[in-house]
Amino acid sequence: MSRGKLVLFEGLDRTGKTTQSDILVERLQPDVTLIKFPERSTEIGALIDRYLKDKTFELPDQAVHLLFSANRWEMAERIKQLLLQGTHVVLDRYVYSGIAYSAAKHTDKMDRSWCLQPDRGLPRPDLTIFLTSDDAENELRAGFGEERYEKSEFQQEVKRQFIEVFKALEDNSQEQNLVQIINITGKSVEQVANEVWELTEPVVRAPTDSKNTEILYF
Ligand code: NYM
Ligand code: MG
């Protein structure tokens, strides 16, 4: 049996990741599970949720980074088991968000390579779709600004960090085309969903060979 595929949506806040992951999950029914990070329902997730919502709740940047990573690790075994039993897993944010948002803070010594270390060994997506928009379009969307990090200047720095992380990880990888970029500017939800499907269909339909039975890892 071929394993399920791991498909990840990344992007800035309010770029439609959640909408697009919901649509993709509908298309991949019935053997598919959606996992969103941060997974706010665990105890670690509850701390993260409080940190994001309560701007007076302070934690050292390093500690926050490790909490986000720990939150992925507590779901890692579940993700592996789902893939091995042939279920596709769609992720709404993951390792790249972890690195991009933390590195954008420019905390001393906390560069991108520091940020990647705690995530080493996590299952690696077969396809990552980065939803991006022309400058600041995401900030006009409803709800922007409610949580920590949802500030114009910071988002631009996160965007820059995302691009750098993708470049660095692609260069070090044997795999090709693991990261695809969709610019959503001026596109309808349906148009973006169609582009997502064009990228995803070949990946989920890939034949069973060794590349498709073994899980990739960061
Ligand atoms: N975020 C998310 C991080 O800073 N590090 C991470 O590892 C992850 C997964 O959480 N502004 C940030 C990015 C978002 C915030 O995510 C909440 P969402 O998708 O808006 O619920
Ligand atoms: Mg958000």
Side-chain angles (χ1 to χ4, degrees):
M1 187 185 65
S2 68
R3 67 167 174 86
K5 293 292 157 63
L6 188 56
V7 179
L8 163 63
F9 285 97
E10 285 284 14
L12 299 181
D13 291 277
R14 315 279 151 182
T15 45
K17 291 180 303 302
T18 304
T19 304
Q20 292 300 330
S21 34
D22 287 345
I23 295 172
L24 181 60
V25 164
E26 276 309 306
R27 290 204 161 151
L28 290 172
Q29 288 295 343
D31 293 318
V32 60
T33 296
L34 174 67
I35 297 179
K36 184 173 161 42
F37 287 108
E39 168 51 66
R40 301 186 195 219
S41 71
T42 65
E43 285 187 37
I44 293 169
L47 263 177
I48 293 172
D49 184 61
R50 178 162 168 224
Y51 175 78
L52 290 169
K53 288 187 175 143
D54 177 359
K55 291 168 192 167
T56 68
F57 178 46
E58 288 303 335
L59 281 171
D61 295 330
Q62 293 87 344
V64 169
H65 182 78
L66 295 173
L67 285 175
F68 275 108
S69 178
N71 187 232
R72 285 184 277 281
W73 278 106
E74 58 183 349
M75 301 300 289
E77 196 51 38
R78 166 117 202 281
I79 294 173
K80 268 168 69 175
Q81 289 314 318
L82 287 165
L83 297 176
L84 291 173
Q85 72 185 43
T87 301
H88 300 304
V89 178
V90 175
L91 300 177
D92 180 350
R93 290 196 190 277
Y94 195 47
V95 170
Y96 302 100
S97 280
I99 302 171
Y101 282 80
S102 287
K105 295 175 175 178
H106 295 293
T107 303
D108 193 33
K109 303 277 193 288
M110 240 182 103
D111 55 12
R112 287 188 297 274
S113 109
W114 188 101
C115 291
L116 173 64
Q117 290 316 307
D119 283 337
R120 281 253 176 248
L122 284 171
R124 183 176 183 141
D126 298 287
L127 172 66
T128 297
I129 298 173
F130 180 58
L131 298 179
T132 183
S133 60
D134 290 347
D135 289 349
E137 184 177 293
N138 61 319
E139 295 161 22
L140 302 174
R141 300 201 170 193
F144 183 83
E146 282 168 10
E147 288 199 335
R148 196 186 289 261
Y149 302 150
E150 296 184 348
K151 290 226 172 61
S152 192
E153 255 173 60
F154 189 73
Q155 294 279 314
Q156 289 318 304
E157 182 55 20
V158 173
K159 186 176 184 176
R160 207 181 69 76
Q161 292 293 339
F162 263 121
I163 305 290
E164 293 298 323
V165 184
F166 291 140
K167 261 199 265 168
L169 284 164
E170 284 276 270
D171 288 352
N172 288 332
S173 166
Q174 269 77 301
E175 313 289 329
Q176 296 297 305
N177 304 321
L178 291 181
V179 179
Q180 301 280 349
I181 298 176
I182 298 181
N183 188 328
I184 63 157
T185 308
K187 292 176 189 160
S188 66
V189 169
E190 290 71 28
Q191 272 173 302
V192 176
N194 288 338
E195 288 185 34
V196 165
W197 187 240
E198 273 169 39
L199 296 171
T200 312
E201 197 180 16
V203 174
V204 296
R205 302 271 174 265
T208 315
D209 53 26
S210 69
K211 184 169 158 266
N212 290 308
T213 50
E214 282 157 40
I215 296 173
L216 312 176
Y217 293 94
F218 279 103

